[in-house]
Every structure is written in C-alpha cells, then in structure tokens.
Amino acid sequence: MSANKACPLLLRSDGALLWFRHPSAGCQLVKGTVEPGETVAQAALRELAEEAGIGDARIAFDLGEWSSGHQAQIWSFQLCVAESALPEAWSHFCMDDGGLLLEFFWHPLEREAPEGSHPLYHRALAEARRRLADVPPAAALGGGERA
C-alpha cells in the first residue's frame, strides 16, 4: 500500500481527539491529500496548518496505513503533538473548496464519532483507536493541552 491521504491525529493527554465541523459535510478528522514529492509526515503537518491553523505541531508516532474502503483512499495515520496550548474550541478559515470556515473541537477518543459524522469517519475512528492502543505511552503524551 502507499498512502494517498494523511490524517494527523492530535490527541490531548486527557484522551480528547481533535475534530472539526465542516459547513456542509458534517464532523470530520483532519485529513488531506499527500502531494507529489511530499512524505506522509509532511502532508499531515501541512494539513494541520492549512485546515486547523496549527503551525507548531510535530509527529510523535507513525501509526501506519489504513485502506479506508472509500474511493480508493489509503490513509496514513500520524500521531501529532502541538507544541503550544490549544483552546477548547476555535474556528479557522481554510482555503479548501474556495474557502471554508471550519469549527474545531475536542471529542473524547473513547466515545463514538460525533453526531453528523460520515460513516467513513466512524470507521476511521475505530481504526485510530485500535492503533493508538499500541502506542508507547511516552509517544502519546504532551501537546494540545488547554489554553
């Protein structure tokens, strides 16, 4: 497999995972296309910056690839850490699709996907949970703490 989508997973130490509300497509995880010449790690960090406005993140752990079963998408899950504290919720204007205002929030990892999430994100969350269970504790710590 070779990933064509990067999905940066930003997890707080309290077990909350970063999600956003798309104005017309429901709740989603940050995810985007791996551009030519870009590594999956570079794509994950770029997507966090472009979609969420988080420019100081780093990769903590490569969680591997997942065949999503949706439109031939192969996702690379990257556990990320933000170097600065992040608020409980925020809005960010993203240039995707001609410009969108995305609403970011934290959602407990152990809960089902937020209401209004496409079934793809329900499956992605289940896969992310499975992979995160195998991460060494030190790799999952730090980042995204409340401002």
Side-chain angles (χ1 to χ4, degrees), residues 86-121:
L86 296 170
E88 264 311 297
W90 70 95
S91 300
H92 181 73
F93 186 78
C94 174
M95 293 307 296
D96 288 359
D97 300 324
L100 300 168
L101 186 63
L102 305 178
E103 303 290 335
F104 287 85
F105 62 96
W106 299 96
H107 186 77
L109 180 65
E110 73 276 2
R111 289 197 191 157
E112 292 301 313
E115 186 176 333
S117 300
H118 186 280
L120 171 64
Y121 290 95

Side-chain angles (χ1 to χ4, degrees), residues 38-99:
E38 195 175 45
T39 67
V40 291
Q42 290 168 331
L45 295 176
R46 177 182 50 74
E47 289 296 332
L48 268 179
E50 289 177 0
E51 291 188 4
I54 301 170
D56 67 348
R58 63 180 170 79
I59 303 296
F61 202 81
D62 183 341
L63 297 167
E65 295 179 355
W66 172 63
S67 181
S68 72
H70 179 75
Q71 299 179 347
Q73 292 181 6
I74 300 171
W75 294 24
S76 171
F77 289 113
Q78 300 289 317
L79 179 58
C80 296
V81 174
E83 297 297 334
S84 59
L86 296 170
E88 264 311 297
W90 70 95
S91 300
H92 181 73
F93 186 78
C94 174
M95 293 307 296
D96 288 359
D97 300 324

Side-chain angles (χ1 to χ4, degrees), residues 125-141:
L125 176 59
E127 185 63 23
R129 267 197 217 112
R130 186 182 71 73
R131 291 168 184 257
L132 286 164
D134 296 332
V135 172
L141 292 178

